[in-house]
């Protein structure tokens, strides 16, 4: 991940689901899992997956541990998206940046204070099967995985000299609409998309070869079991991922 591997890797409760995408989009399988960190009293991560007529939306949330109501922040964010996403959907586009900006406003207008969470969201449209759109705040990440490489698609919003200090997340009052950016990336039928929180990628960073080999397995059950064994006992932070194969 940091230039030490021979592979061209660029920086830049467990359930398996099957998702039949409409029109030209090939069938993709979804594997996701969330594991409480060894130093945490509760799991403050969350996930959301939505399958609508034209839209496939995936989000991981990571409650900021220094915030008093981190877990609640992930739950409120998830509920807001689930209840309101359709208002941001058009046949040929989805206003993900606007949606997440409104999630931030929703958290700030709650009576409960100190609600903060990172997120990484990705969506597909059925009329653009080889394109994924991604938005994120904080240090939750997106990767594309092929048989030859892993590429990080997002750049962490973190302090330059203190990587564990994030500079942007949901629940911050000084964010504007310009902070919510959605980027477009190609993704092909033989590639996988990984969304994950820092408790997952921090272990991936130090065991990149084992993770890469796990992603190459053919059966979702085997991938899930291998990733569980790699993470279990090694994640001091809550570890959550969604793998779209």
């Amino acid at each position: 991940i940091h230039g030490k591997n021979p592979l061209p890797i660029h920086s830049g409760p467990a359930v398996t689901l099957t998702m039949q995408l409409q029109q030209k989009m090939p069938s993709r399988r979804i594997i996701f899992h969330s594991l409480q960190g060894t130093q945490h009293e509760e799991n403050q991560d969350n996930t959301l997956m939505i399958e609508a007529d034209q839209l496939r939306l995936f989000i991981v949330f990571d409650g900021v541990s220094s915030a008093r109501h981190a877990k609640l922040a992930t739950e409120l964010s998830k509920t807001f998206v689930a209840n309101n996403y359709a208002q941001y959907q058009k046949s040929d586009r989805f206003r993900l940046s606007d949606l997440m900006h409104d999630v931030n406003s929703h958290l700030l207008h709650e009576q409960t204070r100190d609600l903060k969470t990172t997120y990484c969201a990705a969506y597909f449209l059925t009329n653009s099967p080889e394109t994924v759109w991604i938005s994120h705040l904080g240090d939750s990440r997106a990767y594309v995985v092929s048989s030859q490489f892993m590429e990080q698609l997002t750049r962490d919003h973190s302090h330059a000299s203190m990587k564990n200090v994030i500079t942007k997340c949901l629940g911050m009052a000084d964010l504007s609409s310009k902070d919510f950016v959605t980027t477009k990336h190609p993704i092909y039928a033989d590639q996988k998309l990984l969304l994950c929180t820092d408790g997952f990628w921090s272990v991936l960073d130090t065991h990149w070869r084992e993770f890469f080999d796990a992603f190459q397995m053919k059966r979702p059950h085997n991938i899930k079991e291998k990733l569980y064994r790699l993470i279990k006992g090694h994640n001091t932070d809550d570890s959550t991922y969604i793998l779209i194969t």
Side-chain angles (χ1 to χ4, degrees):
I1 299 294
H2 298 297
K4 61 186 179 182
N5 353 343
L7 289 169
I9 298 182
H10 313 285
S11 62
V15 180
T16 302
L17 301 179
T18 299
M19 171 175 75
Q20 298 297 330
L21 303 185
Q22 300 172 358
Q23 299 179 12
K24 298 184 294 181
M25 186 174 288
S27 174
R28 288 188 179 270
R29 295 167 293 186
I30 314 304
I31 307 166
F32 64 98
H33 187 70
S34 188
L35 188 63
Q36 182 176 317
T38 59
Q39 296 182 1
H40 286 191
E41 295 182 358
E42 66 173 349
N43 189 338
Q44 297 178 331
D45 286 359
N46 226 319
T47 61
L48 176 63
M49 285 156 277
I50 293 173
E51 180 177 353
D53 289 341
Q54 302 289 328
L55 174 72
R56 306 296 181 266
L57 175 62
F58 308 91
I59 311 178
V60 295
F61 299 96
D62 179 4
V64 177
S65 58
S66 61
R68 184 177 180 183
H69 299 290
K71 179 64 174 180
L72 180 59
T74 71
E75 294 171 348
L76 291 171
S77 300
K78 175 178 178 175
T79 300
F80 184 91
V81 173
N83 290 342
N84 296 282
Y85 76 90
Q87 301 176 29
Y88 301 82
Q89 183 180 357
K90 301 292 184 181
S91 60
D92 60 343
R93 67 189 182 98
F94 180 65
R95 296 186 293 114
L96 179 58
S97 295
D98 292 343
L99 171 59
M100 301 314 296
H101 179 259
D102 289 350
V103 172
N104 191 62
S105 297
H106 176 65
L107 293 182
L108 293 173
H109 284 88
E110 283 288 317
Q111 291 185 347
T112 302
R113 297 303 177 187
D114 207 15
L115 296 162
K116 290 184 173 64
T117 178
T118 74
Y119 79 89
C120 186
Y123 76 87
F124 298 85
L125 295 175
T126 56
N127 59 6
S128 303
E130 294 188 340
T131 303
V132 62
W133 287 262
I134 296 172
S135 174
H136 83 293
L137 284 182
D139 55 4
S140 292
R141 294 180 178 180
Y143 295 82
V144 63
V145 182
S146 78
S147 60
Q148 296 181 320
F149 66 86
M150 295 167 58
E151 180 180 358
Q152 184 180 329
L153 300 179
T154 54
R155 185 180 298 273
D156 297 346
H157 299 121
S158 59
H159 195 279
S161 59
M162 296 179 289
K163 295 299 184 180
N164 62 327
V165 178
I166 60 174
T167 56
K168 294 181 183 181
C169 67
L170 293 173
M172 294 181 65
D174 57 349
L175 297 180
S176 72
S177 59
K178 294 181 180 180
D179 291 298
F180 294 85
V181 177
T182 300
T183 55
K184 178 181 177 181
H185 305 271
I187 185 165
Y188 304 109
D190 61 342
Q191 295 177 333
K192 302 175 179 68
L193 180 68
L194 171 69
L195 307 181
C196 59
T197 62
D198 63 338
F200 184 90
W201 63 252
S202 61
V203 183
L204 183 153
D205 268 4
T206 56
H207 301 278
W208 62 268
R209 168 62 76 177
E210 292 91 337
F211 276 80
F212 184 81
D213 290 344
F215 295 141
Q216 305 310 311
M217 293 179 172
K218 301 300 182 184
R219 296 182 178 181
H221 176 77
N222 292 339
I223 297 175
K224 179 186 69 177
E225 290 297 325
K226 179 64 174 179
L227 293 178
Y228 179 82
R229 291 195 298 271
L230 288 170
I231 291 291
K232 181 67 173 177
H234 299 284
N235 61 311
T236 56
D237 292 327
D238 302 328
S239 170
T240 299
Y241 72 88
I242 300 174
L243 183 66
I244 306 160
T245 70

